[in-house]
Amino acid sequence: METKAAGPGAFARFDLGRVPSPCFVVDEVAVRRNLAMLKAVGDGAGAKVLLALKAFSMWSLADVVAEYLDGVCASGLWEARLAREHYHGHLTTYSPAYKRDDLPEILRLSDSVIFNAPDQIARFADLIAAARERGETFDIGLRLNPEHSEAEVAKYDPCQRGSRLGFPVSQLRPEHLQGVDGLHVHALCEQGFEPLQRIWASLEPKLEAMLPGLKWLNLGGGHHITRADYRKDDLIALLAQIAERHGLQVYIEPGEAIALDAGILVGEILDTFENGLPVAITDISATCHMPDVIEAPYRPAMMGELAEGVAVRIGGPSCLAGDIIGDYVFAAAPKPGTRIAFLDQAHYSMVKTNTFNGVPLPAIALWNSDSDALKLVRQFDYAEFRDRLS
Ligand SMILES: Cc1ncc(COP(=O)(O)O)c(C=O)c1O
């Protein structure tokens, strides 16, 4: 995959020596810029916009998120707890499957609980009824697989053959919607408006007759709304049209779009040597700190990379031979102690870190590019590693 990072933005003037290494630095101004764009879409379309916590759950910004968005969406019990502890507004929870033991708390915490198949709703009917008898109020949703592939990479395509994500729309019958308040469709990944338009064009005729009994439609995430080339006006028009034509409250739940180009991961060169090409070891690990580099895979953009010079292979401090971030061009091979930064690391990196090899977790800092105020929000110590083991 290709990085969609637009460039360093305000980080170009951030002194990388101001934070410990490694460290995620998130620019509150950039997050607010993204949130304001998403709010404008929600307001313009009459749609509700939720932050997908799986992408970006830097909860020290929860109050900021609440200034712009309608709430958050969670992927299971722990994100739902985080949502209720720190975030505000509406909470939708969707998981491909639930554990019987977790569901009562999920029902209590959430405003909407979305199931992956009608059978699941039937299997847990007793828990749903018991929660309602206790006076809890929540909607029930059903995730559909639109069976219309638009994702560019199979790994990120919930419509791939054999997908476990959502109930295939070709199997949907009106009786499956008994007790269901809304439908959920998520089939995009880092995409513009056109794929959404095509998915809806293929789905609408199949659903048309079943929509009148429903309250809402959630069109999931994967909308790269805060990218400069996203057709926001067309999105607003489509969402408003869906709401009006079918009498539905429309939701979207972007994650990445909230934190796009809003954070960097700062690291330090620990050593360099020659082995067919210049090689550098850094305290940033692909496998521990930016696992999508290996999983997606993709090559993150590096701040200040030159067009011409010496290509240096940069990798992490772990034992994994494939813990390689990529080859990057410098004026000369960087010396130990040189600070570097990878762009667009606020989403899907901070939420995925791990301590494989006992590699320390990056600190987390919040910067305000307008005021230049910098706050070290969190530093992790040895205990974080030790206490996940026994
Ligand atoms: C169900 C669901 N909703 C929302 C999202 C957020 O997607 P993104 O961060 O790409 O906007 C995802 C991402 O995988 C998802 O699976």
Side-chain angles (χ1 to χ4, degrees):
M1 291 179 82
E2 291 280 308
T3 177
K4 302 285 190 335
F11 285 111
R13 55 173 201 274
F14 181 79
D15 173 2
L16 303 182
R18 291 174 75 188
V19 289
S21 180
C23 185
F24 290 106
V25 184
V26 172
D27 178 7
E28 181 180 332
V29 175
V31 174
R32 282 184 183 274
R33 177 200 63 211
N34 289 339
L35 287 167
M37 274 186 232
L38 291 160
K39 177 174 164 47
V41 166
D43 289 350
K48 294 196 191 285
V49 184
L50 311 176
L51 158 66
L53 290 178
K54 71 186 79 182
F56 181 62
S57 37
M58 184 173 171
W59 46 265
S60 45
L61 285 174
D63 291 349
V64 172
V65 172
E67 286 178 40
Y68 299 86
L69 302 190
D70 298 285
V72 299
C73 70
S75 316
L77 179 57
W78 285 8
E79 279 190 356
R81 280 188 193 168
L82 188 76
R84 285 303 184 218
E85 264 178 38
H86 290 287
Y87 289 84
H88 311 274
H90 183 95
L91 170 59
T92 283
T93 304
Y94 160 76
S95 181
Y98 295 99
K99 290 194 171 194
R100 200 169 176 83
D101 285 352
D102 290 351
L103 199 54
E105 190 178 347
I106 289 173
L107 293 169
R108 181 170 62 74
L109 295 173
S110 311
D111 296 301
S112 306
V113 179
I114 297 172
F115 291 85
N116 203 47
D119 274 0
Q120 290 188 2
I121 303 175
R123 182 160 2 112
F124 293 126
D126 57 332
L127 295 181
I128 294 169
R132 287 191 166 135
E133 268 163 36
R134 287 194 296 273
E136 293 165 18
T137 51
F138 48 81
D139 278 2
I140 295 294
L142 175 67
R143 177 168 176 174
L144 286 184
N145 172 351
E147 298 177 292
H148 174 103
S149 283
E150 286 286 351
E152 287 150 19
V153 176
K155 202 180 282 174
Y156 299 110
D157 181 9
C159 303
Q160 64 182 268
R161 190 169 171 276
S163 172
R164 70 192 189 290
L165 301 170
F167 189 63
V169 66
S170 57
Q171 297 177 29
L172 186 69
R173 303 284 169 266
E175 54 271 27
H176 292 138
L177 295 180
Q178 266 179 16
V180 169
D181 301 289
L183 292 175
H184 179 275
V185 177
H186 169 84
L188 299 174
C189 176
E190 297 189 335
Q191 280 166 302
F193 171 71
E194 299 82 349
L196 173 68
Q197 193 178 31
R198 289 192 290 268
I199 289 174
W200 183 245
S202 94
L203 203 50
E204 189 176 33
K206 297 173 191 158
L207 293 182
E208 198 138 30
M210 297 187 240
L211 293 176
L214 299 175
K215 291 179 1 194
W216 48 263
L217 174 72
N218 182 328
L219 288 170
H223 320 277
H224 244 196
I225 298 168
T226 50
R227 216 164 73 198
D229 60 352
Y230 193 96
R231 288 166 49 188
K232 290 189 270 297
D233 290 343
D234 291 331
L235 176 67
I236 291 171
L238 177 69
L239 300 183
Q241 189 197 81
I242 295 171
E244 216 226 356
R245 187 180 294 165
H246 302 290
L248 294 168
Q249 173 63 57
V250 174
Y251 289 82
I252 52 171
E253 46 182 40
E256 187 160 325
I258 282 104
L260 200 64
D261 284 320
I264 57 173
L265 178 54
V266 175
E268 192 169 285
I269 300 293
L270 304 177
D271 194 19
T272 51
F273 59 94
E274 192 65 34
N275 183 18
L277 79 167
V279 175
I281 301 168
T282 170
D283 57 0
I284 297 175
S285 161
T287 193
C288 300
H289 305 150
M290 305 188 288
D292 279 356
V293 166
I294 296 171
E295 202 178 305
Y298 82 107
R299 177 189 179 277
M302 193 186 75
M303 186 131 87
E305 191 185 3
L306 303 177
E308 282 178 36
V310 185
V312 179
R313 175 151 305 169
I314 300 184
S318 81
C319 67
L320 179 72
D323 189 357
I324 295 168
I325 302 168
D327 294 353
Y328 295 89
V329 177
F330 292 80
K335 299 221 167 356
T338 304
R339 287 291 175 105
I340 55 171
F342 294 100
L343 303 180
D344 201 21
Q345 292 305 315
H347 55 83
Y348 290 112
S349 288
M350 201 189 292
V351 289
K352 283 190 163 192
T353 53
N354 66 76
T355 55
F356 175 53
N357 274 225
V359 172
L361 294 167
I364 299 173
L366 188 59
W367 179 52
N368 184 306
S369 58
D370 282 347
S371 67
D372 202 30
L374 178 70
K375 187 176 168 202
L376 197 56
V377 183
R378 187 82 205 266
Q379 274 187 288
F380 300 93
D381 58 19
Y382 161 66
E384 308 284 339
F385 165 62
R386 181 195 60 203
D387 293 349
R388 292 169 65 222
L389 303 166
S390 69

